[in-house]
């Protein structure tokens, strides 16, 4: 017997799918999230969020993992967070990953191919640099990382800027989505070129702490507090040695 006010089954199913898409999209935009964080962002009860997460886990869209802690670890067991799987990212990213990877692999196999891949990666970043440079240079010195995050978000990277956990003195640039993650997994030169560019643009040594391409839930770049007072031209000469050393991989 149908209850009073109950929506038709088809309408309920549509509503469920819409809410699950919102949950997945929130994880895409903000990175691995706890149940409480998702409930707060989406205006849902934690019980409702858990129900939708159970369905998303069953569909291999999200997976549960222990929360990664940067800096000093507090007492107690790390909170459980939910992150998108490769399958979940594919649902949002309609790119020609296989074609791009095949093309770069063919180039890499030719004579001088590794250098050609690195040159391509730098040229790709240079082609995108204009908007990022304008955004950063027009921002106040203490707002440049935030300005870069907004510019990256406009290109689909769902980026945010936040203070780094203590005792680190600086900021973390977090990219919660990477449109080329599957290709970068095979060709770390893409991550290295991006890290080099961030260092040159922000005028300081930067350190890549984590990347989506290597299995992390978010690409995280540490930017020291001294970045806004550094000399850009001095930094660019040290970029290869200072920033590319950790680009595209997790620290040991």
């Amino acid at each position: 017997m149908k209850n009073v006010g109950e929506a038709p089954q088809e309408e309920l199913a549509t509503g469920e799918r819409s809410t699950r898409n919102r949950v997945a999209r929130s994880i895409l935009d903000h990175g691995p999230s706890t149940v409480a964080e998702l409930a707060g962002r989406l205006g849902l009860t934690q019980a409702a969020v858990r129900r939708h997460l159970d369905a998303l886990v069953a569909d291999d869209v999200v997976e549960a993992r222990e929360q990664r802690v940067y800096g000093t670890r507090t007492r107690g067991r790390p909170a459980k967070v939910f992150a998108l799987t490769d399958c979940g990212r594919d649902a949002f990213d309609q790119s020609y990953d296989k074609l791009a990877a095949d093309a770069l692999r063919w180039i890499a196999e030719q004579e001088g191919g590794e250098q050609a891949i690195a040159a391509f990666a730098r040229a790709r970043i240079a082609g995108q640099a204009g908007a990022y440079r304008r955004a950063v240079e027009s921002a106040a010195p203490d707002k440049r990382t935030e300005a870069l995050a907004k510019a990256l978000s406009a290109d689909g990277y769902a980026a945010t800027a936040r203070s780094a956990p203590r005792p680190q003195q600086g900021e973390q640039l977090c990219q919660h989505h990477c449109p080329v993650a599957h290709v970068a997994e095979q060709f770390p030169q893409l991550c290295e070129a991006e890290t080099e560019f961030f260092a040159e643009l922000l005028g300081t040594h930067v350190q890549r702490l984590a990347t989506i391409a290597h299995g992390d839930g978010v690409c995280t770049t540490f930017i020291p507090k001294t970045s806004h007072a550094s000399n850009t031209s001095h930094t660019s000469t040290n970029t290869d040695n200072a920033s590319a050393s950790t680009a595209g991989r997790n620290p040991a």
Side-chain angles (χ1 to χ4, degrees):
M1 180 177 178
K2 181 177 174 181
N3 294 326
V4 176
E6 182 179 329
Q9 189 65 35
E10 184 176 315
E11 185 177 326
L12 280 174
T14 300
E16 291 282 295
R17 285 196 298 271
S18 176
T19 304
R20 285 174 194 167
N21 286 340
R22 288 176 59 212
V23 172
R25 181 75 208 193
S26 184
I27 295 172
L28 173 70
D29 289 342
H30 297 275
S33 304
T34 64
V35 170
E37 289 168 345
L38 288 165
R41 287 199 297 263
L42 299 173
L44 300 171
T45 65
Q46 292 192 26
V49 169
R50 287 192 185 94
R51 179 165 54 82
H52 290 301
L53 286 170
D54 286 344
L56 290 168
V57 168
D59 290 338
D60 193 30
V61 175
V62 304
E63 61 183 1
R65 60 173 68 163
E66 283 192 349
Q67 188 171 35
R68 184 181 292 272
V69 177
Y70 299 106
T72 305
R73 184 185 292 274
T74 57
R75 288 185 177 183
R77 187 176 180 178
K80 180 185 290 187
V81 296
F82 292 85
L84 289 180
T85 63
D86 285 345
C87 178
R89 290 185 183 282
D90 286 343
F92 290 99
D93 184 18
Q94 297 181 3
S95 62
Y96 296 97
D97 285 349
K98 187 177 185 303
L99 176 62
D102 287 347
L104 290 177
R105 192 177 302 107
W106 185 88
I107 293 172
E109 291 170 354
Q110 309 309 305
E111 184 176 353
E114 291 298 322
Q115 292 82 358
I117 297 295
F120 165 78
R122 292 190 180 99
R124 175 179 173 273
I125 289 294
Q128 301 172 330
Y132 301 152
R133 196 176 301 280
R134 287 190 296 272
V136 169
E137 292 179 351
S138 63
D142 62 342
K143 297 290 185 181
R144 288 177 179 167
T145 304
E146 182 180 345
L148 177 57
K150 289 180 179 178
L152 286 165
S153 292
D155 276 349
Y157 288 89
T160 58
R162 65 187 183 193
S163 296
R166 293 186 178 184
Q168 299 180 79
Q169 296 295 314
E171 297 174 287
Q172 283 185 351
L173 176 67
C174 300
Q175 296 159 264
H176 302 286
H177 181 54
C178 177
V180 297
H182 292 164
V183 181
E185 182 179 354
Q186 301 174 58
F187 299 96
Q189 295 95 327
L190 296 173
C191 294
E192 292 164 5
E194 184 180 76
T195 307
E196 290 173 8
F197 173 66
F198 289 166
E200 185 272 327
L201 183 62
L202 295 171
T204 187
H205 160 84
V206 304
Q207 183 182 18
R208 188 80 83 171
L209 301 178
T211 63
I212 293 171
H214 284 75
D216 297 292
V218 58
C219 294
T220 305
T221 305
F222 174 65
I223 301 163
K225 190 175 182 179
T226 56
S227 64
H228 306 309
S230 299
N231 184 288
T232 301
S233 61
H234 172 75
T235 303
S236 63
T237 63
N238 294 297
T239 297
D240 290 345
N241 294 328
S243 56
S245 60
T246 55
R249 61 178 175 84
N250 299 327

